[in-house]
């Protein structure tokens, strides 16, 4: 599997983590979440979960209002909650 925009594949034989990392930066704020293969039941399932979460996160960020060019505190809290609840 190949990495995609905002999604990076981690597969190292010597590392304890194998899976996908979602990382997106908007308006001076970076959001990151890891989707391990073990938790989601394989590479394709962890990728599907990461893509679903990325789409929801992009929709939230793009539809939010900016305060002085940055994301509002409410938007950041909502995004962090969305990432924490990602399944």
């Amino acid at each position: 599997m190949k990495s995609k925009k905002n999604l990076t594949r981690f597969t190292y034989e010597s590392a304890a983590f194998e899976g996908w990392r979602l990382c997106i930066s908007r308006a001076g704020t970076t959001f990151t979440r890891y989707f391990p293969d073990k938790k989601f039941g394989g590479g394709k399932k962890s990728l599907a979960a990461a893509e679903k979460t990325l789409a929801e996160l992009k929709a939230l960020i793009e539809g939010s209002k900016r305060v002085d060019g940055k994301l509002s505190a409410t938007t950041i809290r909502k995004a962090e909650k969305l990432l924490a609840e990602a399944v």
Side-chain angles (χ1 to χ4, degrees):
M1 285 182 255
K2 194 174 179 186
S3 296
K4 301 178 179 190
K5 186 171 180 163
N6 300 326
L7 296 172
T8 306
R9 177 72 186 163
F10 285 93
T11 49
Y12 302 112
E13 293 177 14
S14 60
F17 176 79
E18 285 191 1
W20 292 89
R21 181 188 71 164
L22 179 156
C23 187
I24 185 169
S25 295
R26 293 286 190 276
T29 306
T30 301
F31 301 100
T32 304
R33 170 82 155 70
Y34 291 89
F35 295 84
D37 291 349
K38 283 184 180 180
K39 180 179 177 186
F40 291 93
K44 289 183 180 180
K45 289 181 182 178
S46 61
L47 174 60
E51 287 177 331
K52 178 180 178 251
T53 303
L54 178 61
E56 292 172 359
L57 187 59
K58 279 184 176 180
L60 174 70
I61 292 171
E62 299 306 322
S64 67
K65 292 184 179 181
R66 308 282 169 111
V67 178
D68 296 327
K70 300 206 179 257
L71 296 174
S72 68
T74 304
T75 302
I76 293 171
R77 277 195 307 275
K78 285 180 182 178
E80 289 172 347
K81 183 179 179 183
L82 182 108
L83 289 173
E85 295 174 347
V87 177

